[in-house]
Amino acid sequence: MKSILLRMGELFLKGENRGMFENMLISNIRKKLEGLNYKLQRTRGRIMITDFDEQQEVVERLTKVFGLVSLSVAEEVDATVENIEQYVSTIKIGAKTFKVDVNRADKRFPVSSMEFAADLGGVILDANSNASVELYHPEVIVCVDIRNNGKAYIFDKVIKCQGGLPLSTSGRALLLLSGGIDSPVAGYMMAKRGLKLHAIHFYSYPYTSQQAKQKVITLAQQLCEYVDDIKLHCISFTKVQEEIHAKCAPEFMITIMRRIMMRVAEIIAKREDLGAIVTGESLGQVASQTMQSMTVTEDALESLPIFRPCIGLDKEDIVKIAKEIGTFETSILPYEDCCTVFLPKNPVIKPKLAKARSEEANLDVEALVNECIAGEEVIHIKSY
Ligand code: ATP
Ligand code: MG
């Protein structure tokens, strides 16, 4: 019988929390496989999926579940020497060299791993006269994994999955999602560490277009391949920007904008019971991402932490991840971010907190923030 063998990652490290992690992982797997036929079985250290119809679809979806390190499509047989030998004798190697690896998780199995691997190598040679055994650089590795459930799993491919921690096991956070390259990557990276995401997007209609907003919705949909669903909070920022433009020193435009974004984000995060704010900032990338700028931005937050997973990455590294997770092509479509509206010629690179606060004092910040929140539009985004 065909079976998909799933390997879990860091769950091993979690001691007594392991049960909770495994339960969450399984519930996430079930969510991901919704609408497909399958059976799920767990044994110590592995999860098995059997009785599925659409192998490719099942595999593809499973490769996007955080907390799984790898998977193999395997033949499942009852773990007796005869059964395993019988199945292995039907394998067509299709290469010049191979070796057999036996992993005996179930020590009740009567033959040692080494001995059994040698035995099975002989069985394969008998059926594949053109192939030879090569222990160091074989083209094909036939793996036999004997598990505690009395079954053996035989496969020759290991497909890499995402790794990380199961979604939601670290809590929930609010991602500041622009239409750029960095913020979707930041969302992916934090979700991979077990954070369930909401997203917030600021737009400045009519200075930014409907397409710019649609682009963000598309990016959120693409992230949903990994995070299942996202509640996207869209906030009109036009009034805030016009007010800052009219009343504050131009070089502080972006600084103050970002401080107000943080305030709005924090209020929504607290209302939605989210424990952190996530941004795509990378140290030194632009004027608003210097250490001093980030300090002044953060000062606007009352108590939530900001997670910036891209902080130490080069643009190149971020682009690489964006391509891997499938958001890059959307991110590079032309668009206007609200941050590019009323952009000053010379934004401060090292803003002083006192000066930022005094510029901000020209505004009725509380009223502006409240107006942003009153105009909030919520969009529920799902992957399938
Ligand atoms: P990105 O590629 O994510 O747009 P960026 O390099 O263009 O980032 P900035 O425009 O300075 O950098 O934005 C820094 C971070 O602030 C973004 O990664 C994102 O988390 C947040 N951000 C910027 N603009 C918006 C917006 N319009 N709505 C929500 N968050 C935003
Ligand atoms: Mg941007």
mmCIF file of all heavy atoms in Angstrom, residues 18-45:
data_model
loop_
_atom_site.group_PDB
_atom_site.id
_atom_site.type_symbol
_atom_site.label_atom_id
_atom_site.label_comp_id
_atom_site.label_asym_id
_atom_site.label_seq_id
_atom_site.Cartn_x
_atom_site.Cartn_y
_atom_site.Cartn_z
ATOM 1 N N ARG A 18 5.672 18.724 23.743
ATOM 2 C CA ARG A 18 5.669 18.038 22.466
ATOM 3 C C ARG A 18 4.273 17.589 22.044
ATOM 4 O O ARG A 18 3.924 17.678 20.866
ATOM 5 C CB ARG A 18 6.617 16.859 22.547
ATOM 6 C CG ARG A 18 6.718 16.185 21.240
ATOM 7 C CD ARG A 18 7.936 15.348 21.156
ATOM 8 N NE ARG A 18 7.637 14.306 20.199
ATOM 9 C CZ ARG A 18 8.317 13.205 20.094
ATOM 10 N NH1 ARG A 18 9.324 12.978 20.921
ATOM 11 N NH2 ARG A 18 7.993 12.320 19.194
ATOM 12 N N GLY A 19 3.498 17.115 23.008
ATOM 13 C CA GLY A 19 2.137 16.673 22.692
ATOM 14 C C GLY A 19 1.331 17.784 22.055
ATOM 15 O O GLY A 19 0.682 17.601 21.023
ATOM 16 N N MET A 20 1.427 18.973 22.642
ATOM 17 C CA MET A 20 0.692 20.129 22.124
ATOM 18 C C MET A 20 1.153 20.448 20.697
ATOM 19 O O MET A 20 0.348 20.709 19.813
ATOM 20 C CB MET A 20 0.927 21.317 23.066
ATOM 21 C CG MET A 20 0.174 22.573 22.736
ATOM 22 S SD MET A 20 1.012 23.675 21.572
ATOM 23 C CE MET A 20 2.234 24.464 22.632
ATOM 24 N N PHE A 21 2.473 20.422 20.492
ATOM 25 C CA PHE A 21 3.023 20.715 19.166
ATOM 26 C C PHE A 21 2.535 19.694 18.144
ATOM 27 O O PHE A 21 2.142 20.041 17.040
ATOM 28 C CB PHE A 21 4.553 20.723 19.208
ATOM 29 C CG PHE A 21 5.115 22.038 19.650
ATOM 30 C CD1 PHE A 21 4.959 22.462 20.959
ATOM 31 C CD2 PHE A 21 5.784 22.857 18.770
ATOM 32 C CE1 PHE A 21 5.465 23.684 21.378
ATOM 33 C CE2 PHE A 21 6.299 24.087 19.170
ATOM 34 C CZ PHE A 21 6.136 24.490 20.465
ATOM 35 N N GLU A 22 2.566 18.434 18.528
ATOM 36 C CA GLU A 22 2.150 17.388 17.582
ATOM 37 C C GLU A 22 0.669 17.517 17.252
ATOM 38 O O GLU A 22 0.270 17.375 16.099
ATOM 39 C CB GLU A 22 2.434 16.001 18.167
ATOM 40 C CG GLU A 22 3.865 15.584 17.964
ATOM 41 C CD GLU A 22 4.069 14.088 18.198
ATOM 42 O OE1 GLU A 22 3.090 13.312 18.094
ATOM 43 O OE2 GLU A 22 5.209 13.718 18.496
ATOM 44 N N ASN A 23 -0.131 17.801 18.267
ATOM 45 C CA ASN A 23 -1.565 17.951 18.019
ATOM 46 C C ASN A 23 -1.833 19.106 17.067
ATOM 47 O O ASN A 23 -2.661 19.015 16.167
ATOM 48 C CB ASN A 23 -2.325 18.178 19.330
ATOM 49 C CG ASN A 23 -2.361 16.917 20.170
ATOM 50 O OD1 ASN A 23 -2.161 15.813 19.654
ATOM 51 N ND2 ASN A 23 -2.587 17.075 21.463
ATOM 52 N N MET A 24 -1.113 20.207 17.289
ATOM 53 C CA MET A 24 -1.300 21.371 16.425
ATOM 54 C C MET A 24 -0.851 21.040 15.006
ATOM 55 O O MET A 24 -1.515 21.396 14.027
ATOM 56 C CB MET A 24 -0.501 22.552 16.979
ATOM 57 C CG MET A 24 -0.760 23.846 16.266
ATOM 58 S SD MET A 24 -2.482 24.385 16.355
ATOM 59 C CE MET A 24 -2.437 25.335 17.870
ATOM 60 N N LEU A 25 0.270 20.349 14.893
ATOM 61 C CA LEU A 25 0.780 19.969 13.573
ATOM 62 C C LEU A 25 -0.261 19.122 12.840
ATOM 63 O O LEU A 25 -0.550 19.351 11.661
ATOM 64 C CB LEU A 25 2.097 19.201 13.727
ATOM 65 C CG LEU A 25 2.721 18.680 12.435
ATOM 66 C CD1 LEU A 25 3.024 19.813 11.464
ATOM 67 C CD2 LEU A 25 4.011 17.902 12.735
ATOM 68 N N ILE A 26 -0.826 18.177 13.556
ATOM 69 C CA ILE A 26 -1.801 17.289 12.911
ATOM 70 C C ILE A 26 -3.052 18.066 12.520
ATOM 71 O O ILE A 26 -3.579 17.900 11.417
ATOM 72 C CB ILE A 26 -2.107 16.090 13.833
ATOM 73 C CG1 ILE A 26 -0.902 15.141 13.764
ATOM 74 C CG2 ILE A 26 -3.391 15.378 13.419
ATOM 75 C CD1 ILE A 26 -0.901 14.032 14.745
ATOM 76 N N SER A 27 -3.472 18.955 13.382
ATOM 77 C CA SER A 27 -4.651 19.742 13.022
ATOM 78 C C SER A 27 -4.339 20.634 11.803
ATOM 79 O O SER A 27 -5.176 20.820 10.916
ATOM 80 C CB SER A 27 -5.132 20.506 14.261
ATOM 81 O OG SER A 27 -5.348 21.830 13.995
ATOM 82 N N ASN A 28 -3.114 21.158 11.716
ATOM 83 C CA ASN A 28 -2.722 21.960 10.549
ATOM 84 C C ASN A 28 -2.662 21.118 9.274
ATOM 85 O O ASN A 28 -3.018 21.580 8.191
ATOM 86 C CB ASN A 28 -1.356 22.628 10.786
ATOM 87 C CG ASN A 28 -1.417 23.679 11.884
ATOM 88 O OD1 ASN A 28 -2.495 24.117 12.280
ATOM 89 N ND2 ASN A 28 -0.263 24.073 12.393
ATOM 90 N N ILE A 29 -2.197 19.884 9.428
ATOM 91 C CA ILE A 29 -2.144 18.983 8.264
ATOM 92 C C ILE A 29 -3.563 18.713 7.776
ATOM 93 O O ILE A 29 -3.853 18.772 6.584
ATOM 94 C CB ILE A 29 -1.437 17.659 8.637
ATOM 95 C CG1 ILE A 29 0.064 17.904 8.849
ATOM 96 C CG2 ILE A 29 -1.659 16.593 7.562
ATOM 97 C CD1 ILE A 29 0.815 16.712 9.429
ATOM 98 N N ARG A 30 -4.451 18.453 8.715
ATOM 99 C CA ARG A 30 -5.844 18.164 8.330
ATOM 100 C C ARG A 30 -6.468 19.361 7.618
ATOM 101 O O ARG A 30 -7.172 19.219 6.632
ATOM 102 C CB ARG A 30 -6.673 17.795 9.563
ATOM 103 C CG ARG A 30 -6.307 16.434 10.140
ATOM 104 C CD ARG A 30 -7.449 15.896 11.012
ATOM 105 N NE ARG A 30 -7.096 14.679 11.704
ATOM 106 C CZ ARG A 30 -7.075 13.466 11.134
ATOM 107 N NH1 ARG A 30 -7.356 13.331 9.848
ATOM 108 N NH2 ARG A 30 -6.751 12.408 11.852
ATOM 109 N N LYS A 31 -6.175 20.548 8.132
ATOM 110 C CA LYS A 31 -6.706 21.751 7.495
ATOM 111 C C LYS A 31 -6.180 21.851 6.062
ATOM 112 O O LYS A 31 -6.912 22.150 5.128
ATOM 113 C CB LYS A 31 -6.262 22.962 8.311
ATOM 114 C CG LYS A 31 -7.217 24.136 8.225
ATOM 115 C CD LYS A 31 -6.663 25.313 8.982
ATOM 116 C CE LYS A 31 -7.470 25.648 10.221
ATOM 117 N NZ LYS A 31 -6.879 26.782 10.960
ATOM 118 N N LYS A 32 -4.884 21.586 5.914
ATOM 119 C CA LYS A 32 -4.248 21.712 4.605
ATOM 120 C C LYS A 32 -4.806 20.686 3.610
ATOM 121 O O LYS A 32 -4.874 20.944 2.417
ATOM 122 C CB LYS A 32 -2.742 21.520 4.771
ATOM 123 C CG LYS A 32 -1.930 21.871 3.569
ATOM 124 C CD LYS A 32 -1.927 23.345 3.288
ATOM 125 C CE LYS A 32 -0.785 24.040 3.996
ATOM 126 N NZ LYS A 32 -0.853 25.473 3.941
ATOM 127 N N LEU A 33 -5.204 19.518 4.102
ATOM 128 C CA LEU A 33 -5.671 18.460 3.195
ATOM 129 C C LEU A 33 -7.192 18.469 3.034
ATOM 130 O O LEU A 33 -7.753 17.556 2.426
ATOM 131 C CB LEU A 33 -5.201 17.095 3.702
ATOM 132 C CG LEU A 33 -3.673 16.873 3.731
ATOM 133 C CD1 LEU A 33 -3.337 15.468 4.191
ATOM 134 C CD2 LEU A 33 -3.053 17.148 2.362
ATOM 135 N N GLU A 34 -7.823 19.512 3.568
ATOM 136 C CA GLU A 34 -9.279 19.604 3.483
ATOM 137 C C GLU A 34 -9.768 19.400 2.048
ATOM 138 O O GLU A 34 -9.183 19.923 1.111
ATOM 139 C CB GLU A 34 -9.727 20.998 3.960
ATOM 140 C CG GLU A 34 -10.880 20.969 4.939
ATOM 141 C CD GLU A 34 -11.036 22.336 5.593
ATOM 142 O OE1 GLU A 34 -11.377 23.295 4.877
ATOM 143 O OE2 GLU A 34 -10.781 22.428 6.804
ATOM 144 N N GLY A 35 -10.802 18.604 1.911
ATOM 145 C CA GLY A 35 -11.374 18.390 0.587
ATOM 146 C C GLY A 35 -10.769 17.209 -0.154
ATOM 147 O O GLY A 35 -11.245 16.837 -1.219
ATOM 148 N N LEU A 36 -9.707 16.631 0.378
ATOM 149 C CA LEU A 36 -9.085 15.473 -0.268
ATOM 150 C C LEU A 36 -9.367 14.217 0.564
ATOM 151 O O LEU A 36 -9.564 14.297 1.775
ATOM 152 C CB LEU A 36 -7.565 15.663 -0.370
ATOM 153 C CG LEU A 36 -7.077 16.880 -1.165
ATOM 154 C CD1 LEU A 36 -5.568 17.010 -1.064
ATOM 155 C CD2 LEU A 36 -7.495 16.753 -2.631
ATOM 156 N N ASN A 37 -9.369 13.061 -0.104
ATOM 157 C CA ASN A 37 -9.515 11.795 0.623
ATOM 158 C C ASN A 37 -8.168 11.324 1.148
ATOM 159 O O ASN A 37 -7.186 11.336 0.417
ATOM 160 C CB ASN A 37 -10.042 10.705 -0.319
ATOM 161 C CG ASN A 37 -11.494 10.933 -0.645
ATOM 162 O OD1 ASN A 37 -12.263 11.401 0.196
ATOM 163 N ND2 ASN A 37 -11.865 10.622 -1.874
ATOM 164 N N TYR A 38 -8.127 10.895 2.389
ATOM 165 C CA TYR A 38 -6.882 10.351 2.953
ATOM 166 C C TYR A 38 -7.178 9.797 4.345
ATOM 167 O O TYR A 38 -8.227 10.094 4.929
ATOM 168 C CB TYR A 38 -5.808 11.447 3.067
ATOM 169 C CG TYR A 38 -6.159 12.482 4.119
ATOM 170 C CD1 TYR A 38 -5.661 12.365 5.431
ATOM 171 C CD2 TYR A 38 -7.021 13.530 3.840
ATOM 172 C CE1 TYR A 38 -6.025 13.284 6.401
ATOM 173 C CE2 TYR A 38 -7.375 14.457 4.808
ATOM 174 C CZ TYR A 38 -6.874 14.325 6.084
ATOM 175 O OH TYR A 38 -7.234 15.222 7.057
ATOM 176 N N LYS A 39 -6.254 9.015 4.866
ATOM 177 C CA LYS A 39 -6.297 8.643 6.280
ATOM 178 C C LYS A 39 -4.990 9.067 6.912
ATOM 179 O O LYS A 39 -3.936 9.022 6.264
ATOM 180 C CB LYS A 39 -6.465 7.131 6.436
ATOM 181 C CG LYS A 39 -7.874 6.665 6.156
ATOM 182 C CD LYS A 39 -8.094 5.263 6.728
ATOM 183 C CE LYS A 39 -9.481 4.768 6.376
ATOM 184 N NZ LYS A 39 -9.425 3.575 5.507
ATOM 185 N N LEU A 40 -5.054 9.460 8.176
ATOM 186 C CA LEU A 40 -3.845 9.895 8.871
ATOM 187 C C LEU A 40 -3.617 9.002 10.077
ATOM 188 O O LEU A 40 -4.550 8.673 10.799
ATOM 189 C CB LEU A 40 -4.027 11.350 9.312
ATOM 190 C CG LEU A 40 -2.836 12.031 10.006
ATOM 191 C CD1 LEU A 40 -2.886 13.533 9.743
ATOM 192 C CD2 LEU A 40 -2.813 11.781 11.498
ATOM 193 N N GLN A 41 -2.349 8.614 10.246
ATOM 194 C CA GLN A 41 -2.015 7.752 11.370
ATOM 195 C C GLN A 41 -0.746 8.303 12.005
ATOM 196 O O GLN A 41 0.140 8.782 11.295
ATOM 197 C CB GLN A 41 -1.717 6.382 10.766
ATOM 198 C CG GLN A 41 -1.784 5.224 11.714
ATOM 199 C CD GLN A 41 -1.020 4.040 11.117
ATOM 200 O OE1 GLN A 41 0.067 3.727 11.557
ATOM 201 N NE2 GLN A 41 -1.588 3.378 10.105
ATOM 202 N N ARG A 42 -0.660 8.298 13.327
ATOM 203 C CA ARG A 42 0.603 8.741 13.919
ATOM 204 C C ARG A 42 1.241 7.598 14.694
ATOM 205 O O ARG A 42 0.563 6.806 15.334
ATOM 206 C CB ARG A 42 0.391 9.974 14.804
ATOM 207 C CG ARG A 42 -0.542 9.755 15.971
ATOM 208 C CD ARG A 42 -1.162 11.053 16.397
ATOM 209 N NE ARG A 42 -0.245 11.840 17.215
ATOM 210 C CZ ARG A 42 -0.621 12.867 17.973
ATOM 211 N NH1 ARG A 42 -1.907 13.229 18.011
ATOM 212 N NH2 ARG A 42 0.236 13.529 18.695
ATOM 213 N N THR A 43 2.552 7.507 14.596
ATOM 214 C CA THR A 43 3.299 6.577 15.436
ATOM 215 C C THR A 43 4.419 7.407 16.037
ATOM 216 O O THR A 43 4.580 8.571 15.681
ATOM 217 C CB THR A 43 3.951 5.440 14.641
ATOM 218 O OG1 THR A 43 4.985 5.997 13.842
ATOM 219 C CG2 THR A 43 2.951 4.725 13.771
ATOM 220 N N ARG A 44 5.207 6.830 16.882
ATOM 221 C CA ARG A 44 6.267 7.596 17.501
ATOM 222 C C ARG A 44 7.212 8.176 16.440
ATOM 223 O O ARG A 44 7.804 7.453 15.659
ATOM 224 C CB ARG A 44 7.043 6.715 18.479
ATOM 225 C CG ARG A 44 7.705 7.559 19.545
ATOM 226 C CD ARG A 44 8.422 6.755 20.618
ATOM 227 N NE ARG A 44 7.784 5.502 20.981
ATOM 228 C CZ ARG A 44 8.466 4.450 21.432
ATOM 229 N NH1 ARG A 44 9.776 4.513 21.546
ATOM 230 N NH2 ARG A 44 7.846 3.344 21.783
ATOM 231 N N GLY A 45 7.336 9.481 16.401
ATOM 232 C CA GLY A 45 8.315 10.129 15.521
ATOM 233 C C GLY A 45 7.883 10.310 14.067
ATOM 234 O O GLY A 45 8.599 10.926 13.295
#
